[in-house]
Amino acid sequence: MEVTLVEAENRLGGKVWTETTDNLVIEHGPDSVINYRPEALGLARELGLGDSIEEVASSRVVYMRSGGKLRPLPASMGIILPARLWPFVTTGILSIPDKLRAGFDLVLPRKLSSGEDQSIGEFLAYRLGPAMVRKFADPLVGGIYGASVDDLSLDAVLPSLRQNEDDHRSLLLAARATRPRGPQKKGASPFRSLAGGMGTLIDSLAEANRNAGVEIVLGEQVEPSILDSGEYDHILLAGGVGSSKGLLADHVPEAAAILSQTPLSSSTVVSLAYDQDQVGTGAAAHGWLEAQVAPVSGITVSSAKWPGRAPEGTVLLRAFVPARLGAIAGAPDAELLSAVKSHLGEVMGVRGAPSMTRITRWTNVMPTYTVGHLTRTQAVEKALELTHVRIAGSAVHGVGLPDCIGSARRIVQSWKGLQS
């Protein structure tokens, strides 16, 4: 194949963006991938980065801030469900009435038997109660997707919940039945990164493509007319909802109209560096999520979570401010930074001015997979079926890096099948 890659920005990688300055490794986008999704780590190994894959630097300690206190997540807590009952029963994040309401899940009948999609929030509120939605699901899942679980599609975002209810009726029973057997490494984290940051994957992939003869064009917008030019046998759109629907508006208007139904949200990442003696004793090992009103949805202590992210004696922090938090997300830089620093002072005892700050705004580029997303995705693919254009990545098949890699590979394999 003769391949041309055209990127509108002056760098490759999209939301995957690592900056290295003054021995600080600053992630402006994602800092890791999940190890049980093999696509990203498999690609890293193909590119010779196997030895660069790293686990978190210490035992996994993640906190939830609830009632003004940092409380450790229950041991064996998955993305929503606890695999062991006792840590869940004893957690201070939930009140006794909250726990009793969650226990109703053991006797409630199935809710998803009709097969219709619904929001994650609606489903979990029925099975486990509204407190589990507010104090666990929204911080844990909503924090990843930058949206409330009341808006997120169960089938598009967490289809495992439907399978859990189908197989076990009760989600609590399902969590217990599917937990890993045998001895588990205490505090084991499913997250993996790369030495030097996730941008290493982009740099290595770009180099491999150039070595394979791929033409890479940076800083150039693709015009919609290219789709009808006949210049290319196949065209793969991987720029997200906004660029994809714009390019398809005249060529396949039906697909563009369906893509327009995917809401786009915004999120901001604030990175700060402090001297160790500026940080109080309240620092969590890896950070915390917010289960109460706050100017951030969570904080990551990058220098504690990953090796080599900051020089000895320096604490590197990342704060997340999604649009769902309201006005603070759109505040001017100075106001936003002041709010984040004040919050760090309140929770961690941070004092004084940071030695480094970065504010990265991802504006209207975060797709929200609302109820019915999979049906709409199927309609988009059907509309494109008889054309030479396909869509991969966050517009349709997942906002995570493994999902983007997997969707692109499936499309390219189908093209290879046509050629053979």
Side-chain angles (χ1 to χ4, degrees):
M1 291 185 178
E2 295 180 13
V3 180
T4 300
L5 169 62
V6 184
E7 166 59 57
E9 300 295 332
N10 289 316
R11 62 171 184 84
L12 295 170
K15 301 181 193 76
V16 183
W17 177 16
T18 304
E19 176 190 357
T20 303
T21 180
D22 296 330
N23 293 317
L24 295 169
V25 179
I26 304 163
E27 295 284 22
H28 295 271
D31 71 348
S32 59
V33 294
I34 296 285
N35 68 347
Y36 50 77
R37 291 296 308 273
E39 296 91 342
L41 295 181
L43 176 59
R45 292 186 178 97
E46 287 179 41
L47 294 169
L49 297 174
D51 292 339
S52 297
I53 297 172
E54 57 186 16
E55 300 184 22
V56 294
S58 57
S59 295
R60 187 188 187 199
V61 183
V62 179
Y63 291 82
M64 190 77 73
R65 185 168 171 267
S66 175
K69 295 182 179 179
L70 291 177
R71 307 174 192 271
L73 283 176
S76 301
M77 189 74 189
I79 194 165
I80 289 176
L81 303 173
R84 287 164 45 203
L85 186 59
W86 185 246
F88 178 69
V89 169
T90 57
T91 181
I93 298 172
L94 297 171
S95 67
I96 292 176
D98 294 340
K99 296 169 188 175
L100 291 174
R101 172 59 186 86
F104 286 0
D105 170 74
L106 296 169
V107 297
L108 287 172
R110 289 180 174 84
K111 180 175 172 59
L112 301 175
S113 53
S114 67
E116 292 184 2
D117 191 14
Q118 60 187 249
S119 76
I120 296 170
E122 178 187 357
F123 175 66
L124 292 177
Y126 166 78
R127 294 229 61 97
L128 301 169
M132 281 291 290
V133 175
R134 187 175 69 257
K135 297 180 180 180
F136 281 102
D138 239 348
L140 288 167
V141 180
I144 294 172
Y145 288 87
S148 169
V149 290
D150 291 331
D151 298 324
L152 291 172
S153 157
L154 182 146
D155 286 336
V157 176
L158 279 180
S160 59
L161 291 178
R162 181 182 292 276
Q163 191 65 50
N164 287 336
E165 194 189 57
D166 284 347
D167 293 345
H168 302 277
R169 184 184 53 78
S170 160
L171 296 186
L172 294 176
L173 292 178
R176 181 174 175 80
T178 56
R179 72 180 182 182
R181 301 300 175 183
Q184 300 296 309
K185 181 181 177 182
K186 184 178 180 181
S189 170
F191 296 101
R192 299 290 184 271
S193 189
L194 295 172
M198 292 304 300
T200 306
L201 181 68
I202 304 302
D203 295 340
S204 297
L205 185 57
E207 181 182 7
N209 275 273
R210 289 190 176 100
N211 291 340
V214 172
E215 179 187 10
I216 298 179
V217 180
L218 298 179
E220 183 173 313
Q221 293 276 356
V222 172
E223 297 299 325
S225 58
I226 198 70
L227 274 64
D228 296 311
S229 69
E231 184 177 352
Y232 297 99
D233 295 320
H234 303 291
I235 295 177
L236 181 59
L237 307 180
V241 172
S243 68
S244 297
K245 70 181 183 182
L247 290 167
L248 290 169
D250 294 328
H251 185 71
V252 192
E254 180 185 354
I258 299 168
L259 284 173
S260 296
Q261 298 176 40
T262 300
L264 294 174
S265 185
S266 303
S267 190
T268 300
V269 180
V270 181
S271 299
L272 312 97
Y274 291 92
D275 290 339
Q276 181 70 57
D277 59 10
Q278 292 179 270
V279 180
T281 57
H286 292 169
W288 73 88
L289 298 168
E290 293 283 352
Q292 62 182 77
V293 176
V296 302
S297 63
I299 298 287
T300 294
V301 185
S302 299
S303 51
K305 185 177 180 182
W306 304 110
R309 299 303 165 106
E312 187 72 25
T314 299
V315 178
L316 179 61
L317 303 164
R318 292 211 305 165
F320 304 93
V321 190
R324 65 189 177 94
L325 295 185
I328 187 61
D333 285 1
E335 182 181 340
L336 175 62
L337 191 58
S338 176
V340 170
K341 290 192 294 185
S342 177
H343 191 62
L344 290 172
E346 176 187 348
V347 180
M348 293 179 66
V350 174
R351 60 189 183 278
S355 59
M356 180 281 302
T357 60
R358 294 287 189 276
I359 297 177
T360 308
R361 296 182 185 269
W362 300 104
T363 304
N364 294 328
V365 293
M366 312 290 288
T368 302
Y369 293 173
T370 53
V371 174
H373 177 79
L374 291 186
T375 299
R376 292 190 293 274
T377 294
Q378 291 167 2
V380 168
E381 292 175 339
K382 184 172 180 58
L384 295 175
E385 205 169 42
L386 298 180
T387 76
H388 64 309
V389 180
R390 296 292 183 267
I391 300 176
S394 65
V396 287
H397 281 302
V399 299
L401 196 54
D403 299 294
C404 293
I405 294 168
S407 66
R409 284 197 144 155
R410 286 191 296 273
I411 291 168
V412 173
Q413 288 301 321
S414 71
W415 286 342
K416 288 182 176 180
L418 290 174
Q419 288 187 322
S420 61

